[in-house]
Amino acid sequence: MADLDLDQFRLDVRQWLSDNCPPSQRQPITREEQVWAGRNMQFPSEDAKLWFERMRDRGWTVPDWPAELGGGGLNEQQSKILRDEMKQLGCRTPLYDIGIWMLGPAVLEFGTEEQKREHIPRIARGEVRWCQGYSEPSAGSDLASLRTRAEDCGDHFLVNGSKIWTTNADKSDWIFCLVRTDPDAKKQEGISFLLIDMADPGITTSPIELISGESEFCQTFFDNVKVPKRNLIGELNQGWSVAKALLRHERKLMAEIGGDTPGPSFGPVQAALHYVGCDASGKLRDPALREQLVRHEMAYRAVGLTHFRTFEERISGQTDSNVPLIMKYVGTEEGKRKDELLVALLGFQGLGWEGDGFNSDELLTTRGWLFSKALSIAGGSSEVQLNIIAKRVLGLPQQ
Amino acid sequence: MALVLNEEQRYLKETAREFFRTQMPVDVLRQLRAGKCPVGYRNEDWQKMNELGWAGIVLPEEYGGLDFGYMGLGAILEEGGRTLAPSPLLSSVVMGATLILQAGSAQQREQLLPAIASGELTVAVALEEGHHHDPYPGNTNLVADGDGFVLSGTKSFVADGFAADKLIVVARSAGSAGQAEGLSLVLVDGDQAGLTKQPRCFADSRAAASISFDDIRLPASALLGDLRGGTPPLELALDCARICLGAEMFGGALECFERTVDYLKEREQFGVKIGSFQALQHRASLMYIELQLTKSVVLDALSAIDEKRADLPQLASLAKALCNDVFELVTSEAVQMHGGIGVTDELDIGLFLKRSRMATQQLGSSGFHRDRYATLCGY
């Protein structure tokens, strides 16, 4: 019976999407066309606005969040069906925001009822753009050594310090931060999780230019910023457990986007056929590139199957699986290899920087390749991931 | 697509693990090696496996099988891989029975399959002629002669070929080496006059033979399937066997990995457990990652056989290449991480190393399968 219900759900979803998703919103999306949440939301087109509003009104910007808080109220299987059907039709993601991907799930897990009612519906409706304040100039992989202070001043905290790699901080309305609330406690134990309005006095941001030429990462400075106490998520000095839960969401997200960084519209096989070509026997002309390509394609398929296996394991109740712990490493490392491969396949055309002589896919190959280098560093570097596997999965002794 | 075992399959896997742990530990292979037995497995073990119904596990019920599927057989082979357990499951039940089921006449199927399913008859497939796996050989010939055929040539590597009751010989009836067309399949008794078998002793202590056919006259009824029609059933049988061998290799790699991680937790040098060194931790984590990726592929490939999926050839090459690579990685690292004791015969790790390289050569190296995968994908 449950299966039948799901089949019916799938048909309903399919029908609704085909009735409501404008044809223009079923084309592959470019970066400029992404609709980001925010107080001053910008839409690249009327269709994008329409599509966003229709999805928002069904709660499908956040399909698996509670309906009474602005979500779609779907269970995991229904959410997957919606994702599958959107993918099948090529529907664009209607709303982009790390409030959806990261903060929301943490507020739902750790927040009070009041905090949920304050923040969750606004995230679901795309009214606030969020950014994340974790790393600091001297706290990267060793995140727990962070030093941004939040001093208890009775009815508020006084925040001083700076955060780095705050993605899109210059465009964001709110920031969720890890701050030190007890400087005398052991590393992880004196940290709290705070939500801060970026419009508050004392906050400044400054973009950082990356090797890819982009500057979506910023450094954010806090100079005597007053933060109301009700913005504390979870218990005082217990922020590390909130952060860990949130990091899992980030890693899951990065595992998924690792192979899908902003890049060209073609995949490695298409690029190989176009830029290298085949000989009379139908084999790629360059045997070394052919070998590199097939290795990547095989690994990529294995990664995809492993994603699917973790899903099946979860659905079938085999929750003791450690497989999700490998996916951040695997997704980002394979993503980097894919981008290296694309550059190699395109040759000179894969290294164009700007201007004439290169089409947009070629330029995106260059930029995507350079950007992919950040993915195995951000959100817990690959080396940290290997440490985690050694400790938590293999149970190897710690020094 | 099924990437997790159902309850029945999990139960079978547990039964198999217990069986191999208690009845066929690695010491069985050591005993066989010491006895220089050309059969390659102990008959008593094979009988016990038959009592559990494993020889008929993938065969249809109409031929006395259990029709339990390859997800189940894969689970058995994986557990057998953990103790390097030798048996004719792959040669007779996967390769032999698949060819008979696909190509055989109704009479051949009825005559042979129930006997294979019960384990009383074993079949080996004689394919390889050169130094490397090649599905399209050219130097064993099957020529029409009156109302029958004449078979001549030499097969250099026939797994479990010395003791098999019957051989299915892949022979050329048209064309030349390297061509997919023109191959025929023919059934020959293991003790047929004009057939010479020489045991070959390989590093992994499994049984293989070199077999010559000296102008053997065969009746028309010996032909399996159509003359020159051998390739399609052969391709399918090879793909099933590649995946099943992959499952066995995965089990071997997993066992070797677990033994190595255990050793890292107990061996002390410089006053600490060596497993606390980051240089070793990262290498262990990388092996774990490769094993997890390979596991997903093996499961998907096994389910592709059961579901008769069109992408079976791709998955067979994907699975065999990845299993080759992960088994090589893990066994090499296992020897190194065990240090001096890793290169002694006393430790089982060396047996896994030897099995890894032999299994890699069987049914296609990683290079063979990457080339095939690329070709199947159109580049």
mmCIF file of all heavy atoms in Angstrom, chain B residues 23-53:
data_model
loop_
_atom_site.group_PDB
_atom_site.id
_atom_site.type_symbol
_atom_site.label_atom_id
_atom_site.label_comp_id
_atom_site.label_asym_id
_atom_site.label_seq_id
_atom_site.Cartn_x
_atom_site.Cartn_y
_atom_site.Cartn_z
ATOM 1 N N GLN B 23 34.822 -24.506 8.662
ATOM 2 C CA GLN B 23 35.076 -25.689 7.846
ATOM 3 C C GLN B 23 36.231 -25.516 6.861
ATOM 4 O O GLN B 23 36.876 -26.484 6.488
ATOM 5 C CB GLN B 23 33.818 -26.081 7.043
ATOM 6 C CG GLN B 23 32.553 -26.173 7.853
ATOM 7 C CD GLN B 23 32.575 -27.372 8.783
ATOM 8 O OE1 GLN B 23 32.854 -28.490 8.355
ATOM 9 N NE2 GLN B 23 32.319 -27.131 10.059
ATOM 10 N N MET B 24 36.414 -24.299 6.368
ATOM 11 C CA MET B 24 37.427 -24.089 5.336
ATOM 12 C C MET B 24 38.321 -22.885 5.631
ATOM 13 O O MET B 24 38.435 -21.974 4.812
ATOM 14 C CB MET B 24 36.768 -23.902 3.958
ATOM 15 C CG MET B 24 36.034 -25.128 3.451
ATOM 16 S SD MET B 24 35.406 -24.877 1.773
ATOM 17 C CE MET B 24 36.905 -24.902 0.790
ATOM 18 N N PRO B 25 38.977 -22.883 6.785
ATOM 19 C CA PRO B 25 39.886 -21.768 7.059
ATOM 20 C C PRO B 25 41.089 -21.796 6.113
ATOM 21 O O PRO B 25 41.254 -22.758 5.350
ATOM 22 C CB PRO B 25 40.315 -22.007 8.508
ATOM 23 C CG PRO B 25 40.162 -23.467 8.710
ATOM 24 C CD PRO B 25 39.000 -23.891 7.860
ATOM 25 N N VAL B 26 41.910 -20.771 6.172
ATOM 26 C CA VAL B 26 43.046 -20.666 5.244
ATOM 27 C C VAL B 26 43.951 -21.903 5.327
ATOM 28 O O VAL B 26 44.593 -22.270 4.337
ATOM 29 C CB VAL B 26 43.833 -19.363 5.525
ATOM 30 C CG1 VAL B 26 45.044 -19.257 4.610
ATOM 31 C CG2 VAL B 26 42.937 -18.157 5.355
ATOM 32 N N ASP B 27 43.962 -22.554 6.473
ATOM 33 C CA ASP B 27 44.801 -23.756 6.617
ATOM 34 C C ASP B 27 44.469 -24.840 5.595
ATOM 35 O O ASP B 27 45.335 -25.638 5.232
ATOM 36 C CB ASP B 27 44.656 -24.328 8.031
ATOM 37 C CG ASP B 27 45.603 -23.629 8.995
ATOM 38 O OD1 ASP B 27 46.468 -22.870 8.505
ATOM 39 O OD2 ASP B 27 45.461 -23.835 10.211
ATOM 40 N N VAL B 28 43.221 -24.884 5.141
ATOM 41 C CA VAL B 28 42.851 -25.881 4.124
ATOM 42 C C VAL B 28 43.698 -25.671 2.871
ATOM 43 O O VAL B 28 44.200 -26.626 2.269
ATOM 44 C CB VAL B 28 41.343 -25.781 3.798
ATOM 45 C CG1 VAL B 28 40.991 -26.608 2.565
ATOM 46 C CG2 VAL B 28 40.516 -26.233 4.996
ATOM 47 N N LEU B 29 43.867 -24.405 2.484
ATOM 48 C CA LEU B 29 44.686 -24.110 1.306
ATOM 49 C C LEU B 29 46.139 -24.532 1.546
ATOM 50 O O LEU B 29 46.798 -25.069 0.650
ATOM 51 C CB LEU B 29 44.611 -22.622 0.971
ATOM 52 C CG LEU B 29 45.314 -22.214 -0.333
ATOM 53 C CD1 LEU B 29 44.526 -22.702 -1.546
ATOM 54 C CD2 LEU B 29 45.509 -20.708 -0.416
ATOM 55 N N ARG B 30 46.613 -24.307 2.760
ATOM 56 C CA ARG B 30 47.987 -24.717 3.089
ATOM 57 C C ARG B 30 48.145 -26.237 2.982
ATOM 58 O O ARG B 30 49.153 -26.727 2.476
ATOM 59 C CB ARG B 30 48.355 -24.245 4.498
ATOM 60 C CG ARG B 30 48.530 -22.732 4.604
ATOM 61 C CD ARG B 30 48.973 -22.339 6.007
ATOM 62 N NE ARG B 30 49.186 -20.907 6.120
ATOM 63 C CZ ARG B 30 50.331 -20.294 5.802
ATOM 64 N NH1 ARG B 30 51.374 -20.992 5.366
ATOM 65 N NH2 ARG B 30 50.435 -18.973 5.909
ATOM 66 N N GLN B 31 47.131 -26.966 3.455
ATOM 67 C CA GLN B 31 47.196 -28.437 3.355
ATOM 68 C C GLN B 31 47.213 -28.886 1.899
ATOM 69 O O GLN B 31 47.972 -29.768 1.514
ATOM 70 C CB GLN B 31 45.996 -29.080 4.048
ATOM 71 C CG GLN B 31 46.057 -29.028 5.570
ATOM 72 C CD GLN B 31 44.711 -29.374 6.194
ATOM 73 O OE1 GLN B 31 43.948 -30.170 5.647
ATOM 74 N NE2 GLN B 31 44.423 -28.759 7.331
ATOM 75 N N LEU B 32 46.376 -28.272 1.087
ATOM 76 C CA LEU B 32 46.338 -28.628 -0.338
ATOM 77 C C LEU B 32 47.680 -28.341 -1.000
ATOM 78 O O LEU B 32 48.180 -29.122 -1.809
ATOM 79 C CB LEU B 32 45.235 -27.845 -1.046
ATOM 80 C CG LEU B 32 43.806 -28.337 -0.774
ATOM 81 C CD1 LEU B 32 42.789 -27.254 -1.110
ATOM 82 C CD2 LEU B 32 43.515 -29.601 -1.580
ATOM 83 N N ARG B 33 48.260 -27.213 -0.618
ATOM 84 C CA ARG B 33 49.558 -26.831 -1.174
ATOM 85 C C ARG B 33 50.608 -27.866 -0.795
ATOM 86 O O ARG B 33 51.403 -28.299 -1.636
ATOM 87 C CB ARG B 33 49.953 -25.448 -0.642
ATOM 88 C CG ARG B 33 51.271 -24.945 -1.175
ATOM 89 C CD ARG B 33 51.596 -23.566 -0.644
ATOM 90 N NE ARG B 33 51.954 -23.569 0.769
ATOM 91 C CZ ARG B 33 52.493 -22.524 1.410
ATOM 92 N NH1 ARG B 33 52.714 -21.395 0.762
ATOM 93 N NH2 ARG B 33 52.797 -22.594 2.687
ATOM 94 N N ALA B 34 50.588 -28.293 0.484
ATOM 95 C CA ALA B 34 51.579 -29.264 0.945
ATOM 96 C C ALA B 34 51.404 -30.596 0.234
ATOM 97 O O ALA B 34 52.385 -31.289 -0.065
ATOM 98 C CB ALA B 34 51.454 -29.449 2.456
ATOM 99 N N GLY B 35 50.157 -30.966 -0.068
ATOM 100 C CA GLY B 35 49.896 -32.255 -0.708
ATOM 101 C C GLY B 35 50.088 -32.244 -2.213
ATOM 102 O O GLY B 35 49.970 -33.274 -2.863
ATOM 103 N N LYS B 36 50.360 -31.060 -2.779
ATOM 104 C CA LYS B 36 50.518 -30.908 -4.230
ATOM 105 C C LYS B 36 49.386 -31.591 -4.998
ATOM 106 O O LYS B 36 49.604 -32.279 -5.999
ATOM 107 C CB LYS B 36 51.864 -31.472 -4.691
ATOM 108 C CG LYS B 36 53.051 -30.694 -4.136
ATOM 109 C CD LYS B 36 54.339 -31.121 -4.812
ATOM 110 C CE LYS B 36 55.574 -30.499 -4.169
ATOM 111 N NZ LYS B 36 55.597 -29.035 -4.222
ATOM 112 N N CYS B 37 48.171 -31.423 -4.520
ATOM 113 C CA CYS B 37 47.021 -32.092 -5.119
ATOM 114 C C CYS B 37 46.604 -31.370 -6.399
ATOM 115 O O CYS B 37 46.310 -30.178 -6.363
ATOM 116 C CB CYS B 37 45.877 -32.105 -4.116
ATOM 117 S SG CYS B 37 44.316 -32.580 -4.825
ATOM 118 N N PRO B 38 46.569 -32.056 -7.551
ATOM 119 C CA PRO B 38 46.215 -31.376 -8.808
ATOM 120 C C PRO B 38 44.726 -31.042 -8.914
ATOM 121 O O PRO B 38 44.326 -30.278 -9.787
ATOM 122 C CB PRO B 38 46.623 -32.386 -9.889
ATOM 123 C CG PRO B 38 46.549 -33.717 -9.229
ATOM 124 C CD PRO B 38 46.871 -33.500 -7.784
ATOM 125 N N VAL B 39 43.900 -31.604 -8.012
ATOM 126 C CA VAL B 39 42.461 -31.309 -8.051
ATOM 127 C C VAL B 39 42.209 -29.862 -7.606
ATOM 128 O O VAL B 39 41.349 -29.177 -8.147
ATOM 129 C CB VAL B 39 41.685 -32.299 -7.150
ATOM 130 C CG1 VAL B 39 40.213 -31.925 -7.100
ATOM 131 C CG2 VAL B 39 41.851 -33.722 -7.677
ATOM 132 N N GLY B 40 42.947 -29.422 -6.609
ATOM 133 C CA GLY B 40 42.846 -28.016 -6.212
ATOM 134 C C GLY B 40 41.852 -27.733 -5.112
ATOM 135 O O GLY B 40 41.820 -26.632 -4.583
ATOM 136 N N TYR B 41 41.020 -28.661 -4.774
ATOM 137 C CA TYR B 41 40.109 -28.484 -3.635
ATOM 138 C C TYR B 41 39.863 -29.836 -3.000
ATOM 139 O O TYR B 41 40.156 -30.875 -3.595
ATOM 140 C CB TYR B 41 38.784 -27.844 -4.072
ATOM 141 C CG TYR B 41 38.035 -28.613 -5.139
ATOM 142 C CD1 TYR B 41 37.115 -29.609 -4.810
ATOM 143 C CD2 TYR B 41 38.259 -28.369 -6.499
ATOM 144 C CE1 TYR B 41 36.439 -30.322 -5.786
ATOM 145 C CE2 TYR B 41 37.598 -29.072 -7.477
ATOM 146 C CZ TYR B 41 36.681 -30.048 -7.127
ATOM 147 O OH TYR B 41 36.029 -30.763 -8.086
ATOM 148 N N ARG B 42 39.347 -29.847 -1.764
ATOM 149 C CA ARG B 42 39.091 -31.113 -1.082
ATOM 150 C C ARG B 42 37.673 -31.565 -1.396
ATOM 151 O O ARG B 42 36.721 -30.791 -1.254
ATOM 152 C CB ARG B 42 39.247 -30.942 0.432
ATOM 153 C CG ARG B 42 40.655 -30.625 0.865
ATOM 154 C CD ARG B 42 40.814 -30.791 2.354
ATOM 155 N NE ARG B 42 39.747 -30.127 3.139
ATOM 156 C CZ ARG B 42 39.800 -29.978 4.457
ATOM 157 N NH1 ARG B 42 40.841 -30.423 5.147
ATOM 158 N NH2 ARG B 42 38.815 -29.383 5.097
ATOM 159 N N ASN B 43 37.565 -32.809 -1.803
ATOM 160 C CA ASN B 43 36.252 -33.323 -2.157
ATOM 161 C C ASN B 43 35.272 -33.209 -0.982
ATOM 162 O O ASN B 43 34.091 -32.919 -1.179
ATOM 163 C CB ASN B 43 36.377 -34.768 -2.627
ATOM 164 C CG ASN B 43 35.319 -35.072 -3.666
ATOM 165 O OD1 ASN B 43 34.981 -34.223 -4.489
ATOM 166 N ND2 ASN B 43 34.766 -36.264 -3.598
ATOM 167 N N GLU B 44 35.785 -33.437 0.226
ATOM 168 C CA GLU B 44 34.893 -33.378 1.397
ATOM 169 C C GLU B 44 34.300 -31.976 1.575
ATOM 170 O O GLU B 44 33.132 -31.826 1.958
ATOM 171 C CB GLU B 44 35.663 -33.802 2.655
ATOM 172 C CG GLU B 44 36.852 -32.895 2.945
ATOM 173 C CD GLU B 44 37.872 -33.498 3.923
ATOM 174 O OE1 GLU B 44 37.689 -33.305 5.134
ATOM 175 O OE2 GLU B 44 38.836 -34.147 3.451
ATOM 176 N N ASP B 45 35.097 -30.953 1.263
ATOM 177 C CA ASP B 45 34.575 -29.587 1.365
ATOM 178 C C ASP B 45 33.491 -29.343 0.316
ATOM 179 O O ASP B 45 32.467 -28.737 0.585
ATOM 180 C CB ASP B 45 35.703 -28.562 1.165
ATOM 181 C CG ASP B 45 36.748 -28.643 2.258
ATOM 182 O OD1 ASP B 45 36.378 -28.937 3.407
ATOM 183 O OD2 ASP B 45 37.939 -28.418 1.952
ATOM 184 N N TRP B 46 33.786 -29.828 -0.888
ATOM 185 C CA TRP B 46 32.825 -29.649 -1.987
ATOM 186 C C TRP B 46 31.512 -30.360 -1.644
ATOM 187 O O TRP B 46 30.432 -29.830 -1.891
ATOM 188 C CB TRP B 46 33.444 -30.182 -3.274
ATOM 189 C CG TRP B 46 32.616 -30.019 -4.530
ATOM 190 C CD1 TRP B 46 32.336 -30.979 -5.452
ATOM 191 C CD2 TRP B 46 31.989 -28.818 -5.020
ATOM 192 N NE1 TRP B 46 31.569 -30.466 -6.468
ATOM 193 C CE2 TRP B 46 31.340 -29.124 -6.223
ATOM 194 C CE3 TRP B 46 31.910 -27.508 -4.541
ATOM 195 C CZ2 TRP B 46 30.614 -28.215 -6.969
ATOM 196 C CZ3 TRP B 46 31.177 -26.582 -5.275
ATOM 197 C CH2 TRP B 46 30.546 -26.926 -6.471
ATOM 198 N N GLN B 47 31.613 -31.555 -1.038
ATOM 199 C CA GLN B 47 30.397 -32.274 -0.641
ATOM 200 C C GLN B 47 29.590 -31.457 0.369
ATOM 201 O O GLN B 47 28.368 -31.354 0.273
ATOM 202 C CB GLN B 47 30.747 -33.643 -0.025
ATOM 203 C CG GLN B 47 31.303 -34.662 -1.018
ATOM 204 C CD GLN B 47 30.463 -34.774 -2.275
ATOM 205 O OE1 GLN B 47 29.244 -34.725 -2.229
ATOM 206 N NE2 GLN B 47 31.121 -34.874 -3.423
ATOM 207 N N LYS B 48 30.287 -30.868 1.318
ATOM 208 C CA LYS B 48 29.579 -30.071 2.339
ATOM 209 C C LYS B 48 28.896 -28.853 1.703
ATOM 210 O O LYS B 48 27.777 -28.487 2.073
ATOM 211 C CB LYS B 48 30.564 -29.582 3.405
ATOM 212 C CG LYS B 48 30.987 -30.653 4.394
ATOM 213 C CD LYS B 48 31.920 -30.025 5.442
ATOM 214 C CE LYS B 48 32.880 -31.062 5.997
ATOM 215 N NZ LYS B 48 34.099 -30.446 6.544
ATOM 216 N N MET B 49 29.579 -28.262 0.737
ATOM 217 C CA MET B 49 28.971 -27.112 0.053
ATOM 218 C C MET B 49 27.740 -27.557 -0.730
ATOM 219 O O MET B 49 26.731 -26.840 -0.795
ATOM 220 C CB MET B 49 29.999 -26.446 -0.879
ATOM 221 C CG MET B 49 31.137 -25.769 -0.104
ATOM 222 S SD MET B 49 32.538 -25.306 -1.147
ATOM 223 C CE MET B 49 32.022 -23.715 -1.696
ATOM 224 N N ASN B 50 27.830 -28.751 -1.302
ATOM 225 C CA ASN B 50 26.687 -29.264 -2.049
ATOM 226 C C ASN B 50 25.501 -29.548 -1.133
ATOM 227 O O ASN B 50 24.342 -29.351 -1.520
ATOM 228 C CB ASN B 50 27.072 -30.554 -2.793
ATOM 229 C CG ASN B 50 28.089 -30.258 -3.881
ATOM 230 O OD1 ASN B 50 28.134 -29.146 -4.389
ATOM 231 N ND2 ASN B 50 28.910 -31.233 -4.205
ATOM 232 N N GLU B 51 25.817 -30.018 0.080
ATOM 233 C CA GLU B 51 24.725 -30.263 1.027
ATOM 234 C C GLU B 51 23.986 -28.972 1.353
ATOM 235 O O GLU B 51 22.784 -28.969 1.629
ATOM 236 C CB GLU B 51 25.276 -30.900 2.316
ATOM 237 C CG GLU B 51 25.547 -32.393 2.168
ATOM 238 C CD GLU B 51 26.501 -32.924 3.233
ATOM 239 O OE1 GLU B 51 26.560 -32.324 4.323
ATOM 240 O OE2 GLU B 51 27.192 -33.932 2.957
ATOM 241 N N LEU B 52 24.713 -27.867 1.310
ATOM 242 C CA LEU B 52 24.068 -26.567 1.555
ATOM 243 C C LEU B 52 23.350 -26.044 0.301
ATOM 244 O O LEU B 52 22.711 -24.993 0.341
ATOM 245 C CB LEU B 52 25.119 -25.548 2.013
ATOM 246 C CG LEU B 52 25.705 -25.806 3.402
ATOM 247 C CD1 LEU B 52 26.990 -25.015 3.610
ATOM 248 C CD2 LEU B 52 24.688 -25.464 4.484
ATOM 249 N N GLY B 53 23.499 -26.780 -0.807
ATOM 250 C CA GLY B 53 22.784 -26.407 -2.033
ATOM 251 C C GLY B 53 23.477 -25.360 -2.876
ATOM 252 O O GLY B 53 22.897 -24.836 -3.824
#
